[in-house]
Amino acid sequence: GIGALSAAGQEPSGHITQNTAVPPTAWLPHMIKPNLTACVSFEANVYEGSTGVVVNLTVDDRDDPDTGAGRAIYSIINGDPTLSFEIQTNPDNNEGMLSVIKPLDYEAERFHALLIKVENEDPLVPDVGYGPSSTATVRVTVLDINEGPVFFPDPLTVNKMENIPLGSFVASLNATDPDILQAQSIRYAVLRDPAGWLSVSPVTGTVNTSGSLDRESPYVHDNKYTAVFIATDN
Ligand SMILES: [Ca+2]
Ligand SMILES: [Ca+2]
Ligand SMILES: [Ca+2]
């Protein structure tokens, strides 16, 4: 009890006045529990797919922050089944730095409610009427970003004979957009086709030959020809 302690020291008899906020028993060292500020809930917004610190939790502890009685230790005790979050103590100001360590997915979970516990390094002196720790809720809102379509399978392997007729069917590309909560249509295009052998339907993703496949072509290595396609959303 730093501030209150010095005020009480000015009382000649050491007697504590009525308007002191801290009960006398709390003046002993290592007795004052940390309190997450006002025990309120904290709010954070974070874009899906990103990591890093999302909110700093302020703590109110009347013990000396340079002692084990004042240093805060934070832990997430509920609401993080996928272990996407981590909380560490800022050594400079004792705040709890809540970070995303595994990117969140808006389409999977748009809100997270984390229950955070803060306690001191030193155990509280027993039987002073305080609980051993304090808790607060952090509400994390995940913000949507437009994610690019994803091919499945990737890579796609097909076997075709050389010299098949122009326009022969080669493959059906399959890309899906992760943004399932908004209507998005996908367009396909050829990105890299060094021999100029392939064409793709922008709408259906069907790949046909537009040239004559040649196993002896310099673009064929180990009997394999590689082409790259792109899928874009709107
Ligand atoms: Ca997503
Ligand atoms: Ca998204
Ligand atoms: Ca998208």
Side-chain angles (χ1 to χ4, degrees), residues 48 105-107 147 178:
E48 64 171 327
D105 184 7
Y106 172 86
E107 285 75 22
E147 297 155 280

Side-chain angles (χ1 to χ4, degrees), residues 122-194:
D122 294 351
L124 292 167
V125 174
D127 302 327
V128 293
Y130 291 98
S133 61
S134 120
T135 58
T137 301
V138 182
R139 296 182 188 286
V140 177
T141 302
V142 183
L143 306 175
D144 191 20
I145 61 170
N146 185 6
E147 297 155 280
V150 179
F151 281 102
F152 183 83
D154 182 21
L156 170 64
T157 304
V158 296
N159 296 307
K160 294 292 165 188
M161 301 293 290
E162 61 176 343
N163 299 326
I164 54 176
L166 277 184
S168 294
F169 171 81
V170 175
S172 274
L173 302 181
N174 172 43
T176 53
D177 195 301
D179 301 301
I180 52 176
L181 301 179
Q182 38 180 297
Q184 305 213 320
S185 57
I186 293 174
R187 289 287 181 276
Y188 299 90
V190 177
L191 189 65
R192 195 156 56 80
D193 175 26

